[in-house]
Amino acid sequence: MAIIAAEKELLVYENMGVRFDRAASKLGLDKGFQHVLRTPTKEITIYIPVVMDNGAIEVFVGYRVQHSLVRGPGKGGIRYSPDVTLDEIRALASWMTWKCAVVNIPFGGAKGGVICDPEKLSRRELEAITRRYTAELLADLGPERDVPAPDLGTDEQVMAWVMDTYSMHVRQATTAVVTGKPIELGGSRGRREATGRGCLIACDRALRKLGRKRTQQRVVIQGFGNVGSVTAKLMHEAGYKIVGVSDVHGGLYNPKGIDVPKLLEHVQQAQQVPGLAGCDAVGADEVLYLECDILVPAAVENVITSRNADRIKAKIIVEAANGPTTALADEILEEKKIFVVPDILANAGGVTVSYFEWVQDRMGYFWTEAMVNERLEQMMVASFDDVCSYAERHDVSLRIAAYMLAIDRVAFALKLRGLYA
Ligand code: NAD
């Protein structure tokens, strides 16, 4: 059932929209409410002047989109990348709404981004961009309003600058304004590993459902940043065989299994995946087509499209990245009977532990890593099982089931609150 035009296939917000429409119609949601929930609440564009290290002044463009604040404060990362667009941030903000609802945490959805290349900026320039971006958003951010986190191109240090800038303006240390902070500033134990740990839990649940064993699974991971590298490490420790990995520089393949601890050491030193001895070199995108049982796209959007979905050999796809698969590719994967654990479920471990971080900051009482991991596991398992039973009950894919569950929860809250006019 193709309901997105081929020329719009790579527009991520359109892709969110077609899945939303399919799920909302299946739920029989009133057209008016569909319209409200499909549309963002607020979109802010910020022009950020920065004196660069060479003395020149540059103006960067940044965005913050709040898609929905119905179930709680906005929640969503800040992305620094030359490829940031408003369309992308809008889609990512909506996905955050659905993701928070799938795992049933009391947040809405938001996302931010700045068009810049962090690899080409000095630390001082990055700090200047971050502080001005935060200062311009002062009225919209806050523990009860909108709580950012790291995403592509941002890290714990960027979150520390956001927290400091906000705190200086409101005249009190406000740790709960961001998550993904350094532990010394109110960050949570287990947050850095949370998205990868959530992916491992999602893989384990998928295997349980399909009656497969960890030790017989060959895994390929595309992307070796925070999410990809942690997923590789945890899956390797759990007994999965990692046979392929890649980053933006290229990929590696070893059908006998890559020595993941050695790979992590190599990446630490070389700052890139290619070059590990004992593996075959493959192209960055070629890893998608390797012989394997489980494929984990953990890099960027739109890597599995109608042009290449038929070349994928994996039986299971666990979407660690946001939006790696287009709506047109969904249909091909469904025809091939590939079991797809959708992004808004598979990578929800990160936002779940962000929620724990926000709770701990507000309580001023910090949990052990074992407590964090145990609660994460409980929430991921419950959400996975909820989505599976929704899929079975409504005879839809896990992706549409996840959207249905999420939309149902947000629509219910919206109806209870009513439309303020
Ligand atoms: P990151 O910047 O740490 O890493 C991204 C990785 O992808 C890098 O290794 C980069 O080299 C690689 N990459 C980029 N383009 C590639 C390509 N064409 N082929 C192969 N590799 C490529 O980012 P991250 O935090 O790991 O996030 C990865 C994805 O996971 C994003 O979609 C992000 O939105 C999503 N995500 C992240 C979190 C989190 O907690 N960090 C949570 C949920 C979802």
Side-chain angles (χ1 to χ4, degrees):
M1 185 175 48
I3 43 176
I4 185 167
E7 67 275 13
K8 291 188 175 172
E9 182 177 8
L10 301 184
L11 296 177
V12 273
Y13 188 61
E14 294 279 341
N15 278 287
M16 188 291 299
V18 293
R19 275 92 169 232
F20 174 92
D21 291 345
R22 209 180 285 181
S25 311
K26 195 95 189 158
L27 279 172
L29 184 66
D30 170 274
K31 285 279 173 219
F33 279 100
Q34 280 196 35
H35 193 50
V36 176
L37 292 180
R38 206 181 189 282
T39 317
T41 298
K42 199 187 245 194
E43 298 181 349
I44 306 161
T45 301
I46 303 149
Y47 296 93
I48 306 165
V50 173
V51 180
M52 306 301 283
D53 290 350
N54 65 7
I57 295 176
E58 275 195 35
V59 180
F60 294 89
V61 180
Y63 306 105
R64 185 80 187 163
V65 174
Q66 293 174 338
H67 172 259
S68 168
L69 307 178
V70 171
R71 283 168 44 94
K75 189 83 198 80
I78 302 174
R79 175 170 288 201
Y80 286 177
S81 157
D83 302 325
V84 162
T85 63
L86 182 55
D87 173 82
E88 176 192 55
I89 299 298
R90 208 180 263 150
L92 288 160
S94 323
W95 283 326
M96 286 308 298
T97 303
W98 312 131
K99 197 182 299 184
C100 292
V102 165
V103 285
N104 214 357
I105 57 179
F107 286 127
K111 199 83 180 190
V114 177
I115 307 172
C116 66
D117 187 346
E119 295 204 350
K120 295 197 178 126
L121 294 166
S122 70
R123 193 179 154 90
R124 191 203 63 80
E125 290 164 343
L126 270 178
E127 181 174 350
I129 290 174
T130 305
R131 289 190 181 278
R132 181 67 179 247
Y133 175 81
T134 308
E136 291 287 355
L137 285 172
L138 212 62
D140 295 282
L141 300 182
E144 307 294 339
R145 293 193 193 113
D146 185 355
V147 185
D151 192 68
L152 284 176
T154 56
D155 57 13
E156 292 183 352
Q157 177 59 69
V158 173
M159 295 307 111
W161 290 326
V162 172
M163 180 259 171
D164 181 67
T165 307
Y166 182 87
S167 298
M168 294 308 289
H169 281 272
V170 301
R171 320 300 297 164
Q172 61 185 47
T174 311
T175 53
V177 67
V178 280
T179 58
K181 299 176 294 291
I183 290 197
E184 298 74 8
L185 284 180
S188 176
R189 290 184 177 81
R191 172 61 185 90
R192 198 178 301 161
E193 300 80 19
T195 309
R197 187 173 296 281
C199 288
L200 167 66
I201 298 166
C203 282
D204 283 351
R205 290 313 278 179
L207 295 193
R208 194 169 186 269
K209 186 149 182 58
L210 301 173
R212 289 165 161 255
K213 288 207 174 77
R214 277 175 173 180
T215 46
Q216 289 163 3
Q217 306 309 308
R218 295 159 303 161
V219 181
V220 167
I221 301 176
Q222 184 202 37
F224 210 72
N226 172 295
V227 179
S229 65
V230 173
T231 305
K233 177 175 181 285
L234 296 178
M235 289 186 82
H236 172 77
E237 287 167 1
Y240 290 83
K241 193 197 277 184
I242 314 297
V243 295
V245 292
S246 71
D247 68 4
V248 73
H249 306 285
L252 300 173
Y253 178 55
N254 183 346
K256 295 200 181 112
I258 296 173
D259 183 336
V260 175
K262 266 205 186 131
L263 172 63
L264 289 164
E265 257 174 49
H266 162 75
V267 171
Q268 181 102 38
Q269 280 163 14
Q271 294 296 308
Q272 60 169 29
V273 161
L276 180 72
C279 298
D280 297 336
V282 286
D285 295 333
E286 291 303 307
V287 289
L288 295 172
Y289 319 126
L290 291 173
E291 267 313 327
C292 66
D293 302 288
I294 304 178
L295 173 64
V296 182
V300 289
E301 290 119 43
N302 292 338
V303 294
I304 304 174
T305 70
S306 59
R307 292 181 178 202
N308 68 358
D310 60 335
R311 293 178 62 194
I312 287 174
K313 301 195 183 77
K315 318 286 178 304
I316 301 171
I317 297 178
V318 176
E319 294 183 338
N322 285 308
T325 310
T326 67
L328 284 179
D330 279 350
E331 297 173 25
I332 300 169
L333 300 179
E334 264 179 62
E335 273 165 29
K336 285 169 66 101
K337 305 220 178 315
I338 296 177
F339 188 89
V340 180
V341 186
D343 47 6
I344 57 172
L345 172 63
N347 71 32
V351 77
T352 302
V353 177
S354 274
Y355 164 56
F356 297 162
E357 181 172 332
W358 179 79
V359 168
Q360 292 171 76
D361 286 338
R362 284 154 47 109
M363 287 196 298
Y365 176 69
F366 290 87
W367 310 348
T368 62
E369 188 165 349
M371 274 165 81
V372 170
N373 291 345
E374 191 189 320
R375 288 172 184 181
L376 170 64
E377 174 140 19
Q378 278 168 7
M379 290 183 67
M380 285 297 297
V381 166
S383 309
F384 191 98
D385 293 352
D386 282 351
V387 170
C388 281
S389 38
Y390 232 89
E392 277 156 25
R393 204 164 347 126
H394 296 276
D395 191 23
V396 291
S397 65
L398 288 197
R399 188 186 313 283
I400 296 304
Y403 271 79
M404 288 174 74
L405 177 63
I407 293 168
D408 205 16
R409 285 183 175 151
V410 182
F412 192 78
L414 180 62
K415 285 177 190 167
L416 283 176
R417 285 181 64 157
L419 288 179
Y420 181 64

